Amino acid sequence: MQFRAIGVGFLQWSFANPTHFQVISSRSVIDYEGSRLRSSNDLIRVRMNELMCDAASQGLLRPGDIKRYQIAARAMVYGLARMYIDGQFPSWGLPVDDPLAESIRIFDLFIISISMAAEPDGEASKH
């Protein structure tokens, strides 16, 4: 699923570039509105909306507000990146041997929760 790929890509980038993530995520440090970040972010949001609307029209999403699904997905990957960078995983009892893989598993739980593709035993279909 392309929507999932956007979230996983964000996690991969932020884990590999924690300082850059901290800078661009702090709007008080940069001129977000005047930077290329604004237009790049807008393109990603448009693509996320297209993907979510397409999935909804195909009956692949649980009924719900697509905009809220998008915000929840953004908050999920942003929050996981922030928790990793801030060193919070150990205090939550998360395995720290591969925090990126664990974060992707957590994001997958979100994808499963909004998806109609969940199998009866609770496992999601392959993404």
Side-chain angles (χ1 to χ4, degrees):
M1 175 195 303
Q2 291 180 30
F3 186 82
R4 178 185 182 271
I6 292 170
V8 169
F10 182 87
L11 287 168
Q12 291 169 332
W13 178 83
S14 60
F15 278 48
N17 301 283
T19 303
H20 287 108
F21 172 79
Q22 288 179 307
V23 170
I24 69 166
S25 65
S26 178
R27 303 269 167 98
S28 64
V29 177
I30 61 170
D31 176 15
Y32 176 77
E33 295 297 327
S35 73
R36 288 187 333 191
L37 291 172
R38 175 60 189 223
S39 61
S40 295
N41 200 27
D42 287 348
L43 290 173
I44 292 170
R45 286 181 187 178
V46 167
R47 185 65 182 142
M48 287 172 57
N49 189 60
E50 291 170 351
L51 292 167
M52 294 295 277
C53 288
D54 187 46
S57 71
Q58 293 179 41
L60 300 174
L61 290 180
R62 294 184 187 280
D65 184 335
I66 289 175
K67 181 62 70 184
R68 286 190 172 98
Y69 284 163
Q70 292 171 9
I71 292 170
R74 167 74 171 148
M76 173 70 65
V77 294
Y78 183 91
L80 288 166
R82 175 60 58 197
M83 289 177 76
Y84 165 70
I85 290 166
D86 291 347
Q88 294 184 29
F89 282 1
S91 68
W92 285 91
L94 291 176
V96 292
D97 55 323
D98 193 347
L100 176 59
E102 186 63 27
S103 294
I104 291 170
R105 282 191 286 275
I106 292 167
F107 183 58
D108 282 343
L109 288 174
F110 169 76
I111 296 293
I112 291 166
S113 75
I114 66 171
S115 174
M116 292 298 286
E119 295 176 2
D121 65 358
E123 293 294 318
S125 300
K126 298 287 183 196
H127 296 294

